[in-house]
C-alpha cells in the first residue's frame, strides 16, 4: 500500500496518541508532577490550536455559544487527563489506551437512551462486544487482589473512570457541535478554560512550578495537539473513507499501545486481557459506519 498523505496522517495520529500514554507512564519514573505537566499541556495545546486552526474569536461571542457545555468540558478535560495518568500508572498503557478507545461507545449508548436514536442490530452487537472487551481488559488476577488489594482496585477503577470520562467528553463535544459552535473555536475555548482551572488549582495548592515539569508538559501538549490535528487532516485527506479513518485510528492505537506496553514496559497481560483486546478490535470494526 502506498504511503499516501492520508495514511501518513493516520500513522502520525496513532503515534501521537500512544506517545501521550508513554509520557504519562514515564512521568512516574522521572518523578514528574503530572499536575504541572497537564496545566502546561493545555497552554501549549491552546497556542497551537490558535496558530494552526485559526479560529475566529468573534464567532465564539454569540448567544448560541453553549457556555455550560464549555464550562463542563473545562472541568472534565483536566480531571479525566489526571485520571488517565493514574490509569497508566496503575493499570498500564495497554488497558488505559484500550479503555480510552472503547469510550466511543458511551456516546452510542447516549444516542440510544437519551436522544432516541433507533437501535440497530449491528450497533447493539458492537456495544455488547465493547462491554465484553472492557470486562476482559479490566479483569485482574486473583493473586493481585490478595497481594495488594488497593493496587488491584486501582487497576480496574482508573481505566473505568477514563472510559466514562472520555465518553462524556465526546458527548459534550457533540452537543457543542449541535449548538452550531465551530469546532476550532470550541476546542480553543475548552483548552483555555481547562488550562485556567488547572492554573487556579496549582495556585490554590501553592505548588512550586519547576522547569522540568513544565518541559514535560510542553511535550505532552505537542503530542496531545498532534493527535488532534493529524486526525483532522486524515479525515480531510480521505473524505470518501471516514470509516477507514475511524477504524484505523482506534484499532491502531489499541494495537500499538499493546505492543509498546507489553514489549517496552513489560506490562503483564493474561489470556483474558488479550481476549479483551481482540474483542475491542472486533467491536471497533463492527461499529465503523462502512
Amino acid at each position: 500500500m502506498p504511503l499516501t498523505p492520508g495514511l501518513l496522517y493516520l500513522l502520525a495520529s496513532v503515534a501521537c496518541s500512544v506517545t501521550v500514554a508513554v509520557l504519562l507512564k514515564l512521568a512516574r519514573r522521572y518523578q514528574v508532577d503530572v499536575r504541572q505537566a497537564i496545566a502546561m499541556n493545555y497552554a501549549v495545546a491552546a497556542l497551537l490550536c490558535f496558530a494552526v486552526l485559526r479560529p475566529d474569536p468573534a464567532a465564539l461571542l454569540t448567544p448560541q455559544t453553549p457556555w455550560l457545555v464549555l464550562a463542563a468540558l473545562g472541568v472534565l478535560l483536566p480531571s479525566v487527563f489526571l485520571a488517565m495518568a493514574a490509569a497508566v500508572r496503575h493499570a498500564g498503557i495497554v488497558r488505559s489506551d484500550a479503555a480510552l478507545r472503547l469510550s466511543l461507545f458511551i456516546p452510542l449508548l447516549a444516542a440510544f437512551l437519551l436522544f432516541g436514536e433507533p437501535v440497530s442490530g449491528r450497533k447493539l452487537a458492537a456495544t455488547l462486544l465493547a462491554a465484553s472487551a472492557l470486562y476482559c481488559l479490566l479483569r485482574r488476577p486473583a493473586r493481585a487482589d490478595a497481594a495488594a488489594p488497593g493496587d488491584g482496585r486501582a487497576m480496574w477503577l482508573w481505566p473505568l473512570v477514563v472510559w466514562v470520562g472520555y465518553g462524556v467528553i465526546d458527548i459534550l463535544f457533540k452537543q457543542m457541535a449541535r449548538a452550531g459552535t465551530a469546532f476550532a473555536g470550541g476546542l480553543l475555548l475548552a483548552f483555555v478554560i481547562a488550562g485556567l482551572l488547572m492554573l487556579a488549582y496549582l495556585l490554590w495548592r501553592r505548588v512550586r512550578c519547576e522547569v522540568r515539569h513544565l518541559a514535560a508538559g510542553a511535550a505532552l501538549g505537542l503530542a496531545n495537539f498532534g493527535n488532534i490535528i493529524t486526525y483532522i487532516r486524515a479525515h480531510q485527506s480521505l473524505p470518501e473513507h471516514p470509516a477507514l479513518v475511524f477504524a484505523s485510528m482506534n484499532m491502531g492505537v489499541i494495537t500499538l499501545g499493546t505492543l509498546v506496553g507489553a514489549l517496552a514496559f513489560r506490562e503483564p497481560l493474561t489470556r483474558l486481557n488479550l481476549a479483551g483486546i481482540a474483542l475491542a478490535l472486533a467491536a471497533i470494526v463492527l461499529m465503523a459506519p462502512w
Side-chain angles (χ1 to χ4, degrees):
M1 180 184 292
L3 288 176
T4 62
L7 182 57
L8 288 173
Y9 281 130
L10 262 176
L11 292 173
S13 188
V14 169
C16 286
S17 182
V18 176
T19 298
V20 170
V22 170
L23 290 172
L24 292 174
K25 182 81 172 181
L26 293 173
R28 184 181 187 182
R29 179 181 299 179
Y30 294 102
Q31 298 182 330
V32 171
D33 185 347
V34 292
R35 301 170 301 174
Q36 295 182 48
I38 289 173
M40 187 63 179
N41 148 78
Y42 285 118
V44 170
L47 287 172
L48 289 173
C49 182
F50 184 79
V52 176
L53 297 180
R54 300 293 181 90
D56 179 12
L60 298 174
L61 303 176
T62 64
Q64 290 76 31
T65 301
W67 291 106
L68 285 177
V69 172
L70 286 167
L73 280 169
V75 173
L76 276 176
L77 281 172
S79 302
V80 180
F81 214 145
L82 287 168
M84 182 68 177
V88 169
R89 183 168 66 251
H90 292 288
I93 292 174
V94 179
R95 293 178 180 85
S96 302
D97 266 341
L100 171 58
R101 291 298 144 185
L102 286 172
S103 68
L104 61 93
F105 288 91
I106 296 284
L108 181 62
L109 289 171
F112 293 154
L113 302 175
L114 302 178
F115 304 120
E117 183 175 312
V119 180
S120 68
R122 180 174 61 85
K123 290 182 178 180
L124 182 60
T127 303
L128 292 175
L129 277 177
S132 302
L134 198 64
Y135 172 80
C136 294
L137 285 164
L138 302 186
R139 183 72 176 173
R140 57 202 187 282
R143 285 178 297 176
D145 293 347
D151 289 343
R153 191 179 303 112
M155 282 181 64
W156 64 264
L157 179 60
W158 287 115
L160 190 62
V161 172
V162 167
W163 179 67
V164 174
Y166 277 111
V168 174
I169 286 171
D170 198 356
I171 292 172
L172 291 174
F173 270 117
K174 284 180 169 59
Q175 289 299 103
M176 191 170 67
R178 286 189 179 191
T181 306
F183 174 78
L187 187 65
L188 175 61
L189 269 180
F191 282 161
V192 169
I193 295 171
L196 289 174
L197 287 176
M198 280 301 297
L199 178 60
Y201 171 77
L202 292 175
L203 292 174
W204 174 60
R205 298 290 296 177
R206 298 183 180 179
V207 175
R208 182 180 176 183
C209 293
E210 296 183 20
V211 172
R212 67 188 190 92
H213 303 313
L214 299 179
L220 197 62
L222 284 170
N224 192 15
F225 184 75
N227 172 39
I228 295 169
I229 190 63
T230 50
Y231 186 61
I232 292 171
R233 296 289 186 255
H235 272 292
Q236 291 174 339
S237 299
L238 299 167
E240 305 300 323
H241 305 284
L244 175 65
V245 176
F246 170 87
S248 299
M249 174 62 190
N250 290 289
M251 293 175 66
V253 169
I254 291 176
T255 303
L256 182 60
T258 300
L259 291 174
V260 170
L263 299 180
F265 294 100
R266 299 287 190 261
E267 294 180 2
L269 293 172
T270 65
R271 291 181 180 178
L272 190 62
N273 298 149
L274 293 173
I277 292 167
L279 287 172
L281 296 175
I284 290 167
V285 171
L286 197 58
M287 176 59 189
W290 303 104

